[in-house]
Amino acid sequence: MTNLTRRAAALSGLAAAGFSGRAAAASPPVTLLNVSYDPTRELYRDYNATFAAYWLKKTGQTVTIQQSHGGSSKQALSVLNGLQADVVTLGISADIDELALKGHLLSETWRSRLPNESTPYSSTIVFLVRAGNPKKIRTWADLVQPGVSIITPNPKTSAGGRWNYIAAWAQALRAPGGSEAAAKAFVQKIYRQTPVLDTGARGSTTTFVQRGVGDVLLAWENEAYLALAEAGPGKVEIVTPPVSIFAEPPVAWVDSVTDKRGTTTVSKAYLQGLYSEVGQDIIGKNFYRPLTLKAQAKFGGRFPSLNLLRVADLGGWSKLQPLHFGDGGLFDQLYAPPK
């Protein structure tokens, strides 16, 4: 049994009951703010309605969940600068660490407060190409063919942009003859062939699908499936490379806000519900990879299998964030804005 299967089995036991509970006496209405990253709009639109109905039945309290979306690092900066987020559901753990370590807005042990290191689902990075795949893009190496125009968001502001960058870096390190020098050269080629860096993943999707810029979009898997559905037949298609990154977007409640507003209980329940079978079903329907065995059995067929590289094997985000994306880091050294 793999580690992932063990985690799924444990979570299946935790989530077996799903949303349940009896109606209670009415309490004053409450509003939560979920500050999230770009491609989760549809996921939380669906989940919020389900959670609100559950919470009303269980407690008699009406809860309204407001959403804020943007590039993950940009969202984290907004929270650091005073945006009153009850919960953050960001694209990368390093952004929540910033809130804990720099802003002291939540516990530094936030990962241990929810199952699976506070990560209720996973995803990966795939390629969205024009119909018929005219550039014949199948692997990461194909991206840097002459004449291929790449769309990817800015890794300084977007978690998706950082997952894209690290996926490219990691596979270049592990390719035959791979080395740090080869990885630097490969990543630099990608950004030399990137005509525009949007601040978030959804902006890059708009650039590629609606504006028609570029030959290939490096995208969250769920974002690619959503774009495929919205674009309609005969416009774009998804290519899943044989190797990509194991992306784990985390969640947390923000103690400094929830303690002040008295929303800790409902904020915690809101995030715990993502691990329930109801929450996992909504996650799978929105093209994220669920954790529980039941949800995996239901939705596993829509997710191609591939070799998933892990950030932990590269030293973790505590190493990668400053090395690659800090001021003067490798991205700053490798990237030159188009003239």
PDB file of all heavy atoms in Angstrom, residues 28 35 93 102 108 161 332:
ATOM      1  N   PRO A  28     -27.036  34.309  15.648  1.00  0.00           N
ATOM      2  CA  PRO A  28     -26.916  35.462  14.750  1.00  0.00           C
ATOM      3  C   PRO A  28     -26.188  35.075  13.463  1.00  0.00           C
ATOM      4  O   PRO A  28     -25.261  34.255  13.486  1.00  0.00           O
ATOM      5  CB  PRO A  28     -26.100  36.462  15.573  1.00  0.00           C
ATOM      6  CG  PRO A  28     -26.303  36.058  16.994  1.00  0.00           C
ATOM      7  CD  PRO A  28     -26.446  34.564  16.970  1.00  0.00           C
ATOM      8  N   VAL A  35     -10.133  33.890   1.346  1.00  0.00           N
ATOM      9  CA  VAL A  35      -9.162  34.482   0.417  1.00  0.00           C
ATOM     10  C   VAL A  35      -8.411  33.343  -0.247  1.00  0.00           C
ATOM     11  O   VAL A  35      -7.688  32.587   0.409  1.00  0.00           O
ATOM     12  CB  VAL A  35      -8.208  35.446   1.150  1.00  0.00           C
ATOM     13  CG1 VAL A  35      -7.114  35.934   0.204  1.00  0.00           C
ATOM     14  CG2 VAL A  35      -8.998  36.636   1.690  1.00  0.00           C
ATOM     15  N   SER A  93       2.092  26.302   0.063  1.00  0.00           N
ATOM     16  CA  SER A  93       2.268  26.407   1.505  1.00  0.00           C
ATOM     17  C   SER A  93       3.142  27.584   1.900  1.00  0.00           C
ATOM     18  O   SER A  93       2.970  28.161   2.987  1.00  0.00           O
ATOM     19  CB  SER A  93       2.851  25.103   2.064  1.00  0.00           C
ATOM     20  OG  SER A  93       4.113  24.831   1.494  1.00  0.00           O
ATOM     21  N   LYS A 102       5.908  35.778   9.085  1.00  0.00           N
ATOM     22  CA  LYS A 102       6.147  37.211   8.907  1.00  0.00           C
ATOM     23  C   LYS A 102       5.052  38.049   9.548  1.00  0.00           C
ATOM     24  O   LYS A 102       5.328  39.048  10.212  1.00  0.00           O
ATOM     25  CB  LYS A 102       6.258  37.542   7.416  1.00  0.00           C
ATOM     26  CG  LYS A 102       6.617  38.985   7.118  1.00  0.00           C
ATOM     27  CD  LYS A 102       6.799  39.191   5.617  1.00  0.00           C
ATOM     28  CE  LYS A 102       7.147  40.636   5.302  1.00  0.00           C
ATOM     29  NZ  LYS A 102       7.327  40.843   3.829  1.00  0.00           N
ATOM     30  N   GLU A 108       2.210  28.955  13.743  1.00  0.00           N
ATOM     31  CA  GLU A 108       3.264  28.410  12.890  1.00  0.00           C
ATOM     32  C   GLU A 108       3.101  26.909  12.683  1.00  0.00           C
ATOM     33  O   GLU A 108       3.706  26.336  11.774  1.00  0.00           O
ATOM     34  CB  GLU A 108       4.639  28.721  13.489  1.00  0.00           C
ATOM     35  CG  GLU A 108       4.969  30.209  13.495  1.00  0.00           C
ATOM     36  CD  GLU A 108       6.347  30.508  14.065  1.00  0.00           C
ATOM     37  OE1 GLU A 108       7.144  29.544  14.230  1.00  0.00           O
ATOM     38  OE2 GLU A 108       6.636  31.685  14.343  1.00  0.00           O
ATOM     39  N   GLY A 161       2.121  29.791 -11.263  1.00  0.00           N
ATOM     40  CA  GLY A 161       3.372  30.126 -11.925  1.00  0.00           C
ATOM     41  C   GLY A 161       4.563  29.453 -11.274  1.00  0.00           C
ATOM     42  O   GLY A 161       5.494  28.998 -11.945  1.00  0.00           O
ATOM     43  N   ASP A 332      14.696  35.825 -10.992  1.00  0.00           N
ATOM     44  CA  ASP A 332      15.120  37.181 -11.359  1.00  0.00           C
ATOM     45  C   ASP A 332      16.355  37.142 -12.235  1.00  0.00           C
ATOM     46  O   ASP A 332      16.522  37.974 -13.145  1.00  0.00           O
ATOM     47  CB  ASP A 332      15.387  38.021 -10.113  1.00  0.00           C
ATOM     48  CG  ASP A 332      14.106  38.412  -9.383  1.00  0.00           C
ATOM     49  OD1 ASP A 332      13.023  38.314  -9.990  1.00  0.00           O
ATOM     50  OD2 ASP A 332      14.190  38.798  -8.204  1.00  0.00           O
TER      51      ASP A 332
END
